[in-house]
Amino acid sequence: AQSVAQPEDQVNVAEGNPLTVKCTYSVSGNPYLFWYVQYPNRGLQFLLKYITGDNLVKGSYGFEAEFNKSQTSFHLKKPSALVSDSALYFCAVRSYNTDKLIFGTGTRLQVFP
Amino acid sequence: NAGVTQTPKFRVLKTGQSMTLLCAQDMNHEYMYWYRQDPGMGLRLIHYSVGEGTTAKGEVPDGYNVSRLKKQNFLLGLESAAPSQTSVYFCASKDPNYGYTFGSGTRLTVV
């Protein structure tokens, strides 16, 4: 069975500092991994995805994520946080041989000025 | 504009009432999904469809039914609403490059 874990309910970071939002996954076979962001009262917006290839994936708004197969992780990172990055972030995984995209419980990122 | 459109955006139901949520996409995607979002639980898959005329169960299908009579539309039905179905419902479709596009959501309250 597929599963995703986001171990932190909330991450607090000062503006200008680097941020990391953690994600680990469990799937059989090769994973397809995604990060989405949700602003208040809005739908989910795509940030980035890993399907195959380079383990470091760059996405929208300066975010990036590193696929680590041995640690089954796909942490979201940004070198310098902005107050406007404050939102709810979701990690999601899909096994290559299924049609279902499974989400983590979400991590609320709070960036303080 | 291309995308996923959900109607209605808000709805209040009484326990036992029925309703249908409509999801429409104009991107010619084969795959469509219905999720519910609840605090602390993330998004959970209710039902999904891999093409016109097909449906399949997700993680939390009980109390819901779906239909995909046309490729562009994916309907989610509640036959007898319960307070436990109070949630925000999101529809999504998937393109061939594994990108998922989400609608803006339907906020449903069952009293």
Side-chain angles (χ1 to χ4, degrees):
Chain A
Q2 305 171 184
S3 66
V4 179
Q6 293 182 244
E8 303 153 316
D9 290 336
Q10 181 155 328
V11 170
N12 299 317
V13 64
E15 187 174 33
N17 283 1
L19 70 87
T20 298
V21 182
K22 296 180 180 178
C23 172
T24 59
Y25 66 89
S26 174
V27 295
S28 56
N30 294 325
Y32 298 154
L33 295 155
F34 304 81
W35 276 102
Y36 285 84
V37 60
Q38 185 181 35
Y39 297 99
N41 299 314
R42 303 287 295 276
L44 276 71
Q45 296 179 29
F46 172 78
L47 279 180
L48 50 81
K49 66 183 177 186
Y50 171 83
I51 304 299
T52 186
D54 194 347
N55 289 345
L56 184 63
V57 179
K58 295 188 182 296
S60 307
Y61 312 120
F63 283 93
E64 59 187 28
E66 186 169 11
F67 170 60
N68 187 317
K69 187 173 184 177
S70 63
Q71 297 185 4
T72 62
S73 67
F74 190 57
H75 301 332
L76 181 70
K77 300 182 179 184
K78 187 173 182 181
S80 179
L82 300 172
V83 173
S84 58
D85 292 330
S86 299
L88 188 58
Y89 290 81
F90 288 98
C91 181
V93 67
R94 179 193 152 204
S95 176
Y96 76 100
N97 60 351
T98 76
D99 302 312
K100 296 184 283 188
L101 184 65
I102 303 300
F103 284 83
T105 52
T107 298
R108 187 165 301 281
L109 174 66
Q110 189 71 48
V111 182
F112 295 95
Chain B
N1 291 334
V4 176
T5 303
Q6 292 183 231
T7 53
K9 295 189 182 303
F10 303 94
R11 185 73 185 268
V12 178
L13 285 180
K14 293 183 179 179
T15 297
Q17 287 185 319
S18 63
M19 78 163 295
T20 300
L21 282 67
L22 172 63
C23 177
Q25 53 98 0
D26 57 4
M27 298 171 284
N28 202 35
H29 291 169
E30 294 288 343
Y31 291 59
M32 296 185 74
Y33 305 80
W34 274 108
Y35 289 89
R36 59 177 288 174
Q37 183 180 18
D38 302 291
M41 305 192 74
L43 277 78
R44 293 180 292 169
L45 182 63
I46 304 171
H47 286 282
Y48 64 103
S49 169
V50 301
E52 182 178 316
T54 75
T55 63
K57 294 181 179 180
E59 300 171 88
V60 289
D62 293 342
Y64 305 95
N65 57 76
V66 287
S67 64
R68 185 95 182 270
L69 298 180
K70 294 183 178 181
K71 187 177 185 178
Q72 63 268 34
N73 295 336
F74 193 29
L75 279 61
L76 177 71
L78 286 73
E79 291 185 349
S80 180
S84 61
Q85 294 177 303
T86 294
S87 187
V88 181
Y89 292 85
F90 287 101
C91 176
S93 69
K94 182 177 76 70
D95 68 36
N97 292 320
Y98 307 102
Y100 293 78
T101 302
F102 283 81
S104 57
T106 296
R107 187 173 296 273
L108 175 66
T109 302
V110 183
V111 298

